[in-house]
Structure formats: C-alpha cells, structure tokens
Amino acid sequence: MSGNKAVAYQEPGVVEVIDTDYPTFELKDGPGVNPANVGRKVPHGAILRTVTTNICGSDQHMVRGRTTAPAGLVLGHEISGEVVEVGSDVEFTKVGDIVSVPFNISCGRCRNCKERKTGICLNVNPDRPGSAYGYVDMGGWVGGQAEYVLVPYADWNLLRFPDREQALEKIMDLTMLSDIFPTGFHGAVTAGVEVGSTVYVAGAGPVGLAAAAGAQLLGAAVVIVGDMNDERLAQARSFGCETLNVGAGAPEDQIEQLLGVPEVDAAVDAVGFEARGHGGGDHAKEAPATVLNSLMTVTAAGGALGIPGLYVTGDPGGVDEAAKVGSLSISIGTGWAKSLSFTTGQCPVMKYNRQLMMAILHDKVDIAGAVNAKAITLDDAPRGYAEFDAGAATKYVLNPNGYVKS
C-alpha cells in the first residue's frame, strides 16, 4: 500500500482533499507534528481503513482560523475503522476488527490513564497532558479524515464492536462514540444530571444535541436547549427537548416561562470560546464569557456546570488581547456565592464509550437521529465544512471507503 487521501486545513476558510502518505508504524515529520515526536516508533499501533470519520465543531474552530493550526494539518479526530495492519507489540487487536477510536490518544500506562483520566495522558504529547488526532498543539498525531489512519496503543485505545454485521448496520450511531456522544454525555454527567433533573444545554450544535440526548438517557425530567439557530433548535425539539432562542432575550426569563422558576438543576456549556452575546438576534457580537456567566446565573445554588465546550489558550481571532490567550471575564464571584461546581476539559471517552455502545446496540438511544447525521464522501468534505460553518443542523459523517451504504 502506498497512497492515502485526506482532508487538510490550508488557510482560514479553506480545507482541501489531498494525496498523502499511507501510515507507517513511525510518526513522521509534518504539519503540526511536535519535533519531539518525530521518529517515534509505534509497534503498539494499528493501521485502520477508515469506516467513518466525522466533521466536528472543534475542527471548525481551526478551519475558521481561530487557532494556531498550521497549513497542511490533516484533520479528523472522530474515527471508526477496520483494522488492516497491527504492529509487532499488538496482542489482542486483530485484522478485520471493526472499532471505535476515542479521540483522546492515551497510553494506558501513566498515572492519569490508570485513574481513567485518559483526556490528560502524560505520555503522548511532549508539550502538555492530553492529545488528539489531527488537532493543533496535540502532539501531531495525524488526523483520521482520511482513507487510512494510524492508532497508537491499539490494544488499549480501540473499542471493538462485538459483531461486524450489526456494527456496520448501526454505524451512523456508533460513529458518534469517538467523541460527540461521550463528550455530550460527559457534560450531562458532570453537570450532575439525574432522574428528575431540569437541565439547560447552551448550544444546539452536535455536541449540545448529544448532551441533551445524554441528559434524557440519564433520566432528566426536562431538557431545555438554547441557541440562536432556528434550524438547530427545531432539531432539538424533534427528540423531545424544550428550546429557547438566546437571540430573543435572557435565558433565565425564557426558562422561567417554561418551568415557572428562572433556574435549572444542571447546566451544560456546549458552545465554547466563540460564544456571542445574548439578545440582538443574528447581529449579536462575540463575547466569549457569555455562556459561562449565563450558566452561573441560571443554575440553582449548589448545582453544577458541565463544560465540554472548547476553550483555548491561543486564539488569533480573539475579541481582545485577553481573549487571544484564553483569559475571559468570568464572574467567579457568582459561582462562589452559589457554591457551583465546574468541570472543564477533554471528555475521557473511555470512561463512557462501552456503556454508550451498549445503549446504541440495544436500541436505548437514537444518537444519529438526535444529531441529524448525514453521510457524505471524502471528496465532499469541503462542502460539508462550509455547510456546517453556515449553521446547518447536520452532523456530517465522512465515508471515505464506501462502508456506509445509501
């Protein structure tokens, strides 16, 4: 095997499908690869023929030019695939396995991994704890929006689907296990959602919709989803959520109209650092601390905020010098006065992915329906990125090798 096609970021607003190298069991130099990782041997890895690989809102931050991602970076951290080669140190993963790949790359050997904190593995990124495929400052592991991809520590990282035929039949749901379903679910879990909870999810993109579906799975009594995009709000209503348009006014006022009180038990930030101010409709200006401060207002005293929305330490397009380094004007005094709890950072996917797989396989949740999943070809990726950026209420699933049948 000598070739591979992949989706690469080129400049703000531009992604292209490029010809690139077929993976080997060694990390090569390239755009975004940490110099300390160049030449790193991966005998513990597996090479996958990609079954599905999704476009994520986190990818969009890079494509909009809102990170320090270099030109030529191969994108894609939401991956499922078929194992086609294994390294010499791989013992349990077999050629032919159909697997889900957690977006967090973890070694399974460090203290954090052993404590199930796989989002902050200490051994895979020389610069900081935590790593991911195809993402800026995450160690330079090549992304999976490609025909083939290398996965390190295969016996540890890969979640094998128990039945090939069933997996391919349900692949549009199972593909969500690599990131957005566990990430949204993690947001709901860390917000303290339980049976009978009232929940507010800020953001009706795919992660927000996944958080809403996760809250329902946890037994929430009412799930309210807020956004400015009417099409995405309609998608939230399609599976039983209440909605509010934050462009029309303060969330607490609209929550009071729905619940009789202006507060919820639990809240989830599925927006992140490109948030806009509330009110003002489509003309609202970017105000990156808006969602965090709003959630502190609407969460009942003693409650919790789950924050799967992405915040970065380097944002060239930030609204001011503080925002460009991830320093936001958060009303921590409000959080302190109300004894609120906060959980931020990457979701530790392996903490949830097997349980959520079982929920999918046994028809306890329709996550593909909740996020309006749509399969497109690898060559159609630039169109998918453009439509998603324009606000389409769709989760685009790339189908590089024809496993997803129309």
Side-chain angles (χ1 to χ4, degrees), residues 5-356:
K5 289 173 65 177
V7 180
Y9 165 72
Q10 300 297 355
E11 61 183 50
V14 178
V15 297
E16 293 179 354
V17 179
I18 64 170
D19 292 317
T20 188
D21 293 335
Y22 181 82
T24 65
F25 294 104
E26 179 181 325
L27 196 57
K28 304 291 181 62
D29 197 7
V33 178
N34 190 299
N37 264 349
V38 174
R40 185 170 181 163
K41 301 292 193 294
V42 191
H44 43 70
I47 295 172
L48 309 185
R49 180 186 294 118
T50 304
V51 173
T52 52
T53 176
N54 314 328
I55 295 175
C56 178
S58 298
D59 297 322
Q60 286 286 19
H61 293 303
M62 290 189 290
V63 173
R64 292 186 189 117
R66 297 300 298 269
T67 71
T68 55
L73 182 73
V74 173
L75 301 167
H77 56 272
E78 300 190 8
I79 309 162
S80 67
E82 179 175 7
V83 178
V84 293
E85 292 186 52
V86 295
S88 58
D89 288 353
V90 175
E91 185 175 0
F92 305 112
T93 299
K94 306 299 181 186
V95 170
D97 286 347
I98 304 292
V99 296
S100 176
V101 184
F103 81 91
N104 333 96
I105 302 172
S106 57
C107 70
R109 306 171 186 186
C110 70
R111 172 181 175 176
N112 285 350
C113 285
K114 290 178 180 179
E115 294 177 355
R116 302 182 77 192
K117 301 173 184 175
T118 54
I120 43 174
C121 174
L122 301 174
N123 288 331
V124 287
N125 183 355
D127 280 345
R128 64 178 73 174
S131 189
Y133 303 89
Y135 212 85
V136 60
D137 296 332
M138 288 292 187
W141 300 90
V142 178
Q145 287 177 13
E147 293 174 320
Y148 297 91
V149 62
L150 171 69
V151 175
Y153 303 102
D155 282 334
W156 166 253
N157 280 304
L158 296 178
L159 174 68
R160 185 180 69 83
F161 300 135
D163 180 86
R164 178 189 180 92
E165 184 176 340
Q166 183 189 34
L168 294 177
E169 179 183 340
K170 291 181 173 287
I171 196 62
M172 292 295 283
D173 294 283
L174 295 171
T175 188
M176 306 306 165
L177 292 173
S178 57
D179 182 358
I180 68 158
F181 194 15
T183 292
F185 191 76
H186 179 63
V189 168
T190 55
V193 177
E194 56 188 10
V195 174
S197 294
T198 57
V199 184
Y200 175 52
V201 178
V207 169
L209 297 173
Q216 291 175 337
L217 193 61
L218 289 165
V222 182
V223 180
I224 304 167
V225 179
D227 204 291
M228 296 182 184
N229 182 315
D230 287 332
E231 185 181 355
R232 290 181 173 182
L233 291 174
Q235 181 62 30
R237 290 192 295 273
S238 75
F239 61 97
C241 298
E242 300 286 350
T243 60
L244 59 86
N245 191 318
V246 296
E252 57 267 31
D253 296 336
Q254 298 182 64
I255 289 171
E256 186 168 22
Q257 292 174 14
L258 291 166
L259 299 180
V261 293
E263 293 181 322
V264 293
D265 300 319
V268 179
D269 174 3
V271 178
F273 72 102
E274 288 192 64
R276 290 188 286 166
H278 295 158
D282 293 337
H283 303 292
K285 295 182 179 179
E286 187 170 310
T290 296
V291 172
L292 292 171
N293 288 329
S294 173
L295 294 191
M296 285 189 276
T297 298
V298 304
T299 304
L305 278 61
I307 310 174
L310 176 67
Y311 290 87
V312 297
T313 56
D315 173 12
V319 294
D320 54 36
E321 292 306 310
K324 289 179 181 179
V325 293
S327 181
L328 309 181
S329 297
I330 297 169
S331 180
I332 195 68
T334 301
W336 190 95
K338 296 178 74 173
S339 294
L340 300 176
S341 301
F342 304 77
T343 301
T344 65
Q346 288 188 38
C347 163
V349 170
M350 294 173 71
K351 187 173 182 178
Y352 307 107
N353 62 351
R354 185 186 179 278
Q355 299 96 309
L356 295 177

